[in-house]
Amino acid sequence: FHSPSQPHKQTSPYVMKALFLVVVSLALAYSFVPTVTVCSTAGAKLKIETISWMPHDLKKNEKVELKVKGDLTESITKGSTIDAKVSLDGIPVVNKKFDLCTEVAKINITCPIPAQTKTLTYNATLPSVLPVGKIKAEASAYDAAGNELFCVKGGADIPPVPEN
């Protein structure tokens, strides 16, 4: 068990922007705790050692710090993509392919990304409104040749605001 003042840590593989998409896709009315698991195969080029976010229980309009430590075994070059899928109560709401280099440029990382072990930190504020329900999200990334970079799944049951 962990103290609320300590960041939640989970051992597994991943990339900053895609994970933040998964975690942020999961926010709303009042406190909830998302789950994040890695679905990468053994051959994935990005091996994530830790994923942590602070605070552990998320709330609307709250600042969140996300940290990912991973080992990238081969460079990521232009042409790499992220496939993002999000569903609400089993109904697909996002099914889109993004250019990986364009997305990581938003957090000041440029392609090619050299093979390295690194900890990335990303700060953002959660949205003030998202739908209530069971949210599931998945982000998978591939290099230009179609080889897996990583895969991450997440979810949360976001309850309605209690009535007074």
Side-chain angles (χ1 to χ4, degrees), residues 7 9 11 19 23 45-46 51 71-72 74-75 91 99 107 112 120 123 129 136 145 150 154-155:
K9 291 188 178 180
T11 301
L19 181 60
V23 173
K45 292 183 180 184
L46 180 61
I51 300 169
D71 182 27
L72 181 60
E74 293 181 33
S75 294
I91 300 167
D99 179 84
I107 57 171
L120 298 173
N123 293 291
V129 177
K136 290 184 179 182
F150 66 85

Side-chain angles (χ1 to χ4, degrees), residues 65-123:
E65 179 180 82
L66 176 68
K67 287 187 179 185
V68 178
K69 180 179 181 185
D71 182 27
L72 181 60
T73 60
E74 293 181 33
S75 294
I76 296 176
T77 59
K78 291 186 179 190
S80 299
T81 59
I82 299 174
D83 295 334
K85 297 176 184 176
V86 180
S87 67
L88 175 63
D89 292 330
I91 300 167
V93 293
V94 173
N95 188 358
K96 188 170 181 181
K97 184 176 287 211
F98 297 92
D99 179 84
L100 179 61
C101 291
T102 300
E103 293 306 307
V104 297
K106 295 175 183 175
I107 57 171
N108 300 318
I109 298 173
T110 57
C111 287
I113 302 169
Q116 62 186 314
T117 298
K118 188 170 185 167
T119 300
L120 298 173
T121 301
Y122 184 68
N123 293 291

Side-chain angles (χ1 to χ4, degrees), residues 14-25 64-66 122-126:
Y14 189 66
V15 153
M16 194 50 78
K17 180 69 177 178
L19 181 60
F20 191 76
L21 263 171
V22 170
V23 173
V24 169
S25 297
V64 176
E65 179 180 82
L66 176 68
Y122 184 68
N123 293 291
T125 300
L126 294 176

Side-chain angles (χ1 to χ4, degrees), residues 1-13:
F1 219 55
H2 69 278
S3 155
S5 64
Q6 297 298 313
H8 173 71
K9 291 188 178 180
Q10 181 173 346
T11 301
S12 40

